[in-house]
Amino acid sequence: MSLFKARDWWSTVLGEKEEFDQGCLCVADVDNSGQDKIIVGSYMGYLRIFNPHPVKPGDEVQAEDLLLEVQLREPILQVEVGKFVSGTEGLHLAVLHCRRLCVYAVSETLGNVEHGNQYQIKLMYEHQLQRTACNMTYGPFGGVKGRDLICIQSMDGMLMLFEQESYAFGRFLPGFLLPGPLTYSSRTDSFITVSSSRQVESYKYQVLAFATDADGRQETVQQKLSSGKKLVVDWILNIGEQALDICIVSFNQAVSSVFVLGERSLFCLKDNGQIRFMKKLDYSPSCFIPYCSVKEGTINTLVGNHSKMLYVYQDITLKWATQLPHVPVSVKVANLQGLKGVIVTLSDSGHLQCSYLGTDPSLFQAPRVDSKEINYEEFNAEMKELQKIIKEATKTQDILPQSEKHRDLIVTAEVSPDLDVESQMFRDNFLMLWSSVKFSSIFNKSEHWQAIDSEIKAEVVPSVTVKVTMQSKVTAQKPYLAVCVQAPLAVTCDQFTFNDLDPGSSETVVLSVFLKGNFPPSELEGNCVFSCNTPTELNPEGIPKFAQCKFKLPLRLVCFPAQPSKSANHKLTIDTNKPPISFLTIFPDFADPSEDDQANALGFQFLSGSKITLLASKTSQRYRIQSDQLEDLWLITKELTLRLEEHFKKQNCKDFACTFSGSVPLQEYFELIDRHFELRLNAEKFQELLSERAIQFRAIERRLLTRFKDKTPAPLQHLDTLLEGTFREVIALADAAEENQANMFQAFTKLKSATHLVIMLIGLWQKLNADQVAIMEAAFLPLAEDTQELGWEETVDSAISFLLRTCLSKSSKEQALSLSSQLSMPKDTSRLKKNISLFCDRLAKGGRLSLSTETATQQATGVPGGCATIPESDLEERAVVPGSTAVFSHHKHTAKQKSNPAIYRNRHGNYLQEVHVMEVAVCERFV
């Protein structure tokens, strides 16, 4: 907030409930009397002309300051003053309405009584517009002398030029979407605007003039769509943001410049579109006006913002800041009553003010303070106490203290210990779908919703009931609950809305969670987010608040007991420091007490069909998990470690720990990475093929339409056959791309499961704490969803490269290397796999994960049995002992060959061969 407020010289409020905008204010000598007047038009159709006189503080505005007030019955979009009437060089007033342009003459009549002179307006001419107008500009188009021409921009992108009383021509802006600000530069004789593509564009008037229609059609006919021709742009500058206003500055001592006010920046351009300078604004501007500076070679600019502030810049240097009583939508600089440099501002509600910068002498004098001795010891004690409070307050990074966050709103989720007794997968589908769309809180208090649209090929898909309770200690407006689970898990209803909650009230909803996809999820967790608005005295509409909670889903939701398997492709061994526990104790929901062999061996089978076996050693403190798929080991391994920790925690055993000393399965992990990346490449190629076939389809359509419109019948030359074949090929490509998308989502879920498993094994191997494991999860699992624009491979590669150059760096040279600021899809996965291998090698050598940028000291520690370090150079590679076992696969291992994404050829076989022949025919015919 500025220390200085704008000094009020004269102000008034216009009308009641009227609206104003940028073009509604104009300052000019409209009556040709030699003094500036203030012209204001409103969207209610009122036109007012003021001649302000200074008033004393507290006095009301004199009635004679309002020279003219007239209602034109149509909204006034913009007012301008110029030489708009032929045969005279006097100034006239141009008023732009939605469908009409009117030019008036403002004249003064001497009064015979004490009430003073009278002002009146006379309509000189008007133009009826065939298009809805947006804004206008004027100037000596084409270098004419002694008169101004008018250019109006319509809402559909047509520039309509008027040579005073007659309509000249109209041209359409190329690539038009929405109208932007428009101005005219007399120095270059060009129109400058900002298009909806956020580009400053300049169009020469001569280009428009040479393309003018030469026939003598009537004005209304020339304004129709058929008479417009597109323009050719002179120069383009991309500013990257939408513009609010444009001004042309051409003072004697300053270089001719084009000023553009953007949403977050102020640009100054040369006549040819080059940037002279720009100023990045840290606020949201509302209007601006450049004016002459006393310093040669510089330009002053007034910029108003939505915080009721007015800033004065000299080029890019801030010279002054002052506060206004309103948010300005238009600002002008005027000379009123001999006072130069009066700032005229107008708000959207009609607050018109004339002000000046500076300060008034303060008449207030502070009372004399009784002098007394200063107690320095007391001040020091108070200072220490304040510093202690500040230090405690700055420890947390949260916006609100933890005690304030969850005090007003509480949300809890209770998962049923048993699965739902009845599954309604093949029954009541219509009722469930209808109730999920039209939800009423009455249904949620007693109904148990089960799986209704699962994709699993099973007779019964298990579901579990989750009961969510929301409590509010304050008034909650627009309460909203969202329930989210990891795909392919799904819920019967994931969004709930309620009526406003009173203080102390609560709401309860009941929903069911089930497995929808034919593959296991990567996490058995869910999240509930409850949001609402709580009204306050200052904000009756309410401030947003939210509360959230997480809930854990049972393992029985995705798998069921099965017979243990003796053989498997992937095996993991988890070591503990306690004797093995019987599976009958830690897995009572899967083990059968009547079978003694399940105490040390237990089998699991996912609903998708894959099996996992869990074994406990009878002689050592080890557990083995084995399966044919690497990603299937994750959920069982996690469940095993969690249940072991809970078991020993109940027995008050605090020194229980799990470790891992085997080989981290990086080679199998890399195969999953290659599979996911291969599907991403296929998706990219499918997109290219679809684009090519779509272009071909549209080309054939144009040829067919040309043949059909031709008055002389001609043979189609098999164009209809080509069109049908191309259409079928587009459909086949779309089906294949959709199938590839589903496979990519499934591959990404498997990759996340394997990534969770690798992170756990590395954490158990290196005995990492919770903070270090969190850093690994942030680096390896940065994305909740995988897209073509931002994929898993490039994101993880960038994160791991950052860790290798910071906390895991070996020297200061690695820290000096700069990382790329742009993420793009890599050509292959060799660099990613190399960085992952190097990451594990640095951890094996003693590196520790930390968010600090200091170089971590690499200590030579013993590598676990069966492990060998990765050579980081050719010399080191030659020094590797032959026959040694490498736990982490070398980055030069061969990746899978990328397959051509012509999967759909297998499904559509001979048909696509015919389409290929038709493609060749199309190319030959079009050439």
Side-chain angles (χ1 to χ4, degrees):
M1 183 176 179
S2 174
L3 294 176
F4 306 112
K5 295 184 178 179
R7 313 314 302 177
D8 187 4
W9 186 75
W10 179 89
S11 63
T12 186
V13 178
L14 308 178
E16 294 182 0
K17 297 182 180 180
E18 294 189 42
E19 296 182 2
F20 304 84
D21 206 351
Q22 185 178 20
C24 296
L25 176 64
C26 179
V27 175
D29 183 16
V30 67
D31 59 346
N32 301 281
S33 62
Q35 293 184 0
D36 286 346
K37 307 295 186 301
I38 300 177
I39 305 101
V40 182
S42 72
Y43 285 165
M44 299 300 176
Y46 286 95
L47 177 66
R48 299 178 179 91
I49 301 177
F50 292 93
N51 185 21
H53 293 80
V55 295
K56 297 180 180 180
D59 295 346
E60 296 182 357
V61 177
Q62 300 297 322
E64 56 266 22
D65 291 347
L66 179 60
L67 303 182
L68 177 68
E69 182 177 15
V70 62
Q71 185 177 10
L72 302 180
R73 297 182 181 181
E74 293 184 21
I76 298 176
L77 304 182
Q78 191 173 346
V79 290
E80 297 291 349
V81 176
K83 303 175 182 179
F84 302 134
V85 178
S86 60
T88 176
E89 293 189 3
L91 299 179
H92 291 76
L93 176 64
V95 180
L96 178 64
H97 302 284
C98 297
R99 288 278 184 163
R100 193 164 54 128
L101 173 65
C102 300
V103 176
Y104 298 95
V106 180
S107 60
E108 178 185 11
T109 303
L110 298 179
N112 298 325
V113 294
E114 60 181 4
H115 297 299
N117 301 337
Q118 297 179 359
Y119 284 81
Q120 59 184 2
I121 60 172
K122 180 182 178 182
L123 180 64
M124 304 302 294
Y125 62 87
E126 68 175 0
H127 292 286
Q128 296 294 335
L129 306 180
Q130 301 301 316
R131 303 175 182 277
T132 303
C134 175
N135 52 23
M136 68 175 177
T137 185
Y138 69 95
F141 304 160
V144 297
K145 301 296 184 180
R147 57 176 180 160
D148 292 326
L149 281 63
I150 299 177
C151 176
I152 299 177
Q153 180 180 206
S154 65
M155 296 297 292
D156 58 352
M158 183 178 183
L159 296 182
M160 298 175 287
L161 284 86
F162 296 87
E163 294 183 358
Q164 296 183 341
E165 291 86 350
S166 61
Y167 174 80
F169 54 85
R171 295 293 173 263
F172 284 97
L173 295 175
F176 180 85
L177 181 61
L178 294 174
L182 177 69
T183 188
Y184 171 75
S185 174
S186 59
R187 180 181 176 89
T188 59
D189 194 24
S190 58
F191 298 95
I192 302 175
T193 184
V194 179
S195 64
S196 55
S197 58
R198 301 180 177 181
Q199 294 178 343
V200 183
E201 301 175 353
S202 176
Y203 300 92
K204 289 284 189 180
Y205 176 76
Q206 294 297 328
V207 177
L208 281 71
F210 290 148
T212 303
D213 292 336
D215 57 2
R217 287 179 290 182
Q218 297 180 357
E219 176 180 338
T220 56
V221 178
Q222 294 185 33
Q223 293 185 39
K224 290 184 179 180
L225 180 64
S226 60
S227 64
K229 296 182 180 180
K230 293 185 178 180
L231 307 183
V232 179
V233 65
D234 183 29
W235 53 262
I236 295 178
L237 175 65
N238 192 341
I239 60 175
E241 57 184 281
Q242 190 58 41
L244 303 179
D245 197 3
I246 303 178
C247 286
I248 304 295
V249 176
S250 182
F251 302 127
N252 295 330
Q253 69 272 26
V255 182
S256 179
S257 304
V258 180
F259 278 80
V260 181
L261 179 64
E263 294 175 329
R264 287 293 178 183
S265 305
L266 176 63
F267 301 89
C268 179
L269 314 179
K270 297 180 181 179
D271 292 334
N272 57 0
Q274 297 179 356
I275 297 180
R276 284 189 56 208
F277 62 82
M278 70 167 289
K279 173 69 177 179
K280 201 72 175 177
L281 306 178
D282 55 357
Y283 51 82
S284 178
S286 60
C287 59
F288 87 125
I289 183 70
Y291 65 98
C292 183
S293 174
V294 295
K295 185 178 179 181
E296 186 176 356
T298 61
I299 300 173
N300 287 1
T301 308
L302 291 175
V303 182
N305 66 4
H306 288 86
S307 300
K308 301 180 181 180
M309 298 294 295
L310 187 66
Y311 297 93
V312 182
Y313 292 94
Q314 188 174 80
D315 286 348
I316 61 173
T317 305
L318 180 63
K319 291 297 184 180
W320 193 266
T322 185
Q323 187 176 9
L324 297 172
H326 56 266
V327 177
V329 296
S330 182
V331 58
K332 303 291 182 182
V333 179
N335 299 329
L336 302 175
Q337 305 299 327
L339 181 62
K340 297 182 179 180
V342 178
I343 301 174
V344 183
T345 55
L346 176 66
S347 70
D348 58 352
S349 59
H351 192 142
L352 179 63
Q353 178 175 347
C354 299
S355 55
Y356 60 92
L357 304 179
T359 59
D360 287 340
S362 177
L363 302 178
F364 173 77
Q365 293 182 357
R368 186 174 182 181
V369 181
D370 296 335
S371 61
K372 58 181 180 180
E373 296 183 0
I374 300 176
N375 190 346
Y376 291 100
E377 294 181 358
E378 182 180 351
F379 282 179
N380 289 334
E382 184 181 0
M383 178 64 71
K384 291 180 181 179
E385 185 67 23
L386 293 176
Q387 289 178 348
K388 183 178 179 181
I389 295 174
I390 295 174
K391 186 176 181 181
E392 290 293 332
T394 55
K395 281 185 178 180
T396 60
Q397 298 296 328
D398 295 336
I399 298 176
L400 296 175
Q402 294 290 338
S403 60
E404 295 289 333
K405 274 187 173 181
H406 307 287
R407 185 182 63 179
D408 297 336
L409 301 178
I410 300 175
V411 57
T412 57
E414 180 183 354
V415 182
S416 175
D418 301 323
L419 299 179
D420 294 337
V421 178
E422 181 181 359
S423 180
Q424 300 180 1
M425 176 176 166
F426 298 102
R427 189 176 61 180
D428 298 336
N429 286 352
F430 176 77
L431 178 61
M432 293 298 103
L433 291 175
W434 179 85
S435 59
S436 65
V437 175
K438 296 186 176 180
F439 170 77
S440 174
S441 60
I442 301 176
F443 286 87
N444 299 327
K445 297 180 179 178
S446 59
E447 296 289 339
H448 289 266
W449 295 353
Q450 278 80 23
I452 58 174
D453 57 350
S454 177
E455 300 173 359
I456 300 176
K457 299 178 181 179
E459 295 182 358
V460 178
V461 177
S463 60
V464 65
T465 300
V466 180
K467 181 180 179 182
V468 183
T469 304
M470 295 141 291
Q471 300 177 1
S472 176
K473 297 182 180 180
V474 296
T475 302
Q477 298 177 350
K478 300 178 181 179
Y480 174 81
L481 175 67
V483 182
C484 179
V485 293
Q486 292 280 346
L489 294 174
V491 294
T492 51
C493 187
D494 58 351
Q495 297 179 2
F496 303 85
T497 56
F498 311 91
N499 297 326
D500 294 349
L501 301 180
D502 297 328
S505 61
S506 63
E507 283 284 349
T508 302
V509 297
V510 178
L511 51 93
S512 292
V513 183
F514 61 96
L515 184 64
K516 186 176 182 180
N518 198 22
F519 52 95
S522 60
E523 287 287 348
L524 286 175
E525 292 182 354
N527 191 18
C528 298
V529 179
F530 177 60
S531 62
C532 65
N533 294 337
T534 57
T536 61
E537 295 180 358
L538 299 178
N539 190 354
E541 295 182 358
I543 58 177
K545 285 192 175 184
F546 76 96
Q548 63 177 347
C549 72
K550 294 184 178 182
F551 56 90
K552 185 178 181 300
L553 298 172
L555 186 61
R556 287 289 300 269
L557 189 64
V558 296
C559 66
F560 55 88
Q563 289 295 328
S565 177
K566 296 183 180 180
S567 60
N569 296 332
H570 304 278
K571 301 177 181 180
L572 293 177
T573 302
I574 303 298
D575 299 330
T576 63
N577 56 355
K578 299 295 179 182
I581 307 300
S582 173
F583 292 150
L584 299 175
T585 302
I586 59 177
F587 285 97
D589 49 343
F590 284 89
D592 188 359
S594 61
E595 299 183 7
D596 297 335
D597 58 343
Q598 291 190 357
N600 297 322
L602 192 61
F604 304 86
Q605 182 174 350
F606 285 117
L607 297 180
S608 58
S610 56
K611 294 183 178 181
I612 304 94
T613 302
L614 183 59
L615 304 172
S617 176
K618 299 180 180 179
T619 58
S620 60
Q621 303 171 352
R622 293 182 175 181
Y623 300 88
R624 170 169 290 182
I625 310 97
Q626 57 187 25
S627 175
D628 290 336
Q629 304 294 333
L630 175 65
E631 62 274 7
D632 294 336
L633 299 174
W634 158 240
L635 289 179
I636 306 301
T637 305
K638 180 184 179 181
E639 192 73 17
L640 173 65
T641 56
L642 290 178
R643 297 198 179 196
L644 287 175
E645 291 176 357
E646 292 179 359
H647 174 76
F648 288 103
K649 186 177 181 180
K650 292 179 181 179
Q651 297 183 353
N652 294 327
C653 180
K654 299 181 180 180
D655 59 343
F656 172 76
C658 296
T659 57
F660 177 74
S661 58
S663 302
V664 179
L666 287 186
Q667 184 64 36
E668 296 83 354
Y669 181 55
F670 290 159
E671 292 178 358
L672 290 174
I673 295 177
D674 290 336
R675 171 58 179 165
H676 175 258
F677 187 73
E678 178 184 358
L679 292 174
R680 286 189 63 193
L681 292 178
N682 290 346
E684 192 176 41
K685 294 179 181 178
F686 276 130
Q687 187 175 0
E688 295 177 358
L689 289 175
L690 272 173
S691 178
E692 293 176 359
R693 297 304 179 270
I695 294 174
Q696 174 180 319
F697 185 78
R698 288 192 294 269
I700 300 175
E701 275 188 328
R702 286 193 295 268
R703 287 297 184 94
L704 275 175
L705 288 175
T706 303
R707 294 290 177 89
F708 290 151
K709 290 181 179 179
D710 193 358
K711 296 181 180 180
T712 303
L716 297 180
Q717 297 181 354
H718 303 289
L719 283 177
D720 53 343
T721 306
L722 292 177
L723 183 68
E724 182 181 359
T726 306
F727 174 74
R728 289 191 295 173
E729 186 174 2
V730 169
I731 296 300
L733 277 171
D735 293 339
E738 187 176 6
E739 181 181 354
N740 183 82
Q741 187 72 20
N743 294 335
M744 187 169 64
F745 176 75
Q746 182 174 352
F748 183 60
T749 304
K750 294 181 179 180
L751 180 60
K752 288 196 294 185
S753 299
T755 303
H756 279 294
L757 180 64
V758 170
I759 292 174
M760 171 184 277
L761 296 180
I762 294 176
L764 297 178
W765 166 41
Q766 288 296 315
K767 300 178 181 180
L768 304 179
N769 56 29
D771 293 338
Q772 293 172 332
V773 173
I775 294 175
M776 287 186 60
E777 290 178 348
F780 281 85
L781 296 169
L783 300 177
E785 297 182 0
D786 189 43
T787 60
Q788 286 296 108
E789 293 77 14
L790 184 63
W792 182 87
E793 285 80 7
E794 55 264 29
T795 310
V796 173
D797 184 34
S798 177
I800 296 178
S801 299
F802 175 79
L803 293 177
L804 292 176
R805 285 167 171 78
T806 53
C807 59
L808 296 180
S809 62
K810 298 179 64 175
S811 62
S812 59
K813 293 182 179 179
E814 291 186 357
Q815 291 187 356
L817 297 176
S818 61
L819 298 175
S820 175
S821 59
Q822 294 183 352
L823 296 181
S824 58
M825 185 175 177
K827 296 181 180 180
D828 52 39
T829 60
S830 58
R831 172 186 167 87
L832 173 62
K833 292 184 285 189
K834 176 182 176 182
N835 286 337
I836 295 177
S837 302
L838 188 59
F839 174 83
C840 296
D841 182 53
R842 296 280 176 87
L843 289 179
K845 291 181 180 179
R848 283 297 174 259
L849 297 175
S850 173
L851 294 179
S852 174
T853 56
E854 297 178 359
T855 305
T857 56
Q858 304 290 339
Q859 300 176 358
T861 58
V863 183
C867 298
T869 59
I870 300 175
E872 300 181 19
S873 64
D874 294 339
L875 297 177
E876 193 175 346
E877 184 175 357
R878 298 192 189 103
V880 176
V881 179
S884 63
T885 305
V887 181
F888 315 112
S889 61
H890 195 265
H891 66 273
K892 292 184 179 179
H893 73 278
T894 58
K896 287 185 177 181
Q897 184 179 3
K898 305 297 182 296
S899 61
N900 191 352
I903 308 172
Y904 61 93
R905 294 180 185 270
N906 298 330
R907 300 173 56 188
H908 302 276
N910 299 331
Y911 158 68
L912 289 184
Q913 294 180 2
E914 298 174 1
V915 173
H916 178 70
V917 174
M918 286 189 290
E919 290 177 13
V920 176
V922 170
C923 295
E924 293 177 353
R925 187 177 303 277
F926 287 173
V927 170

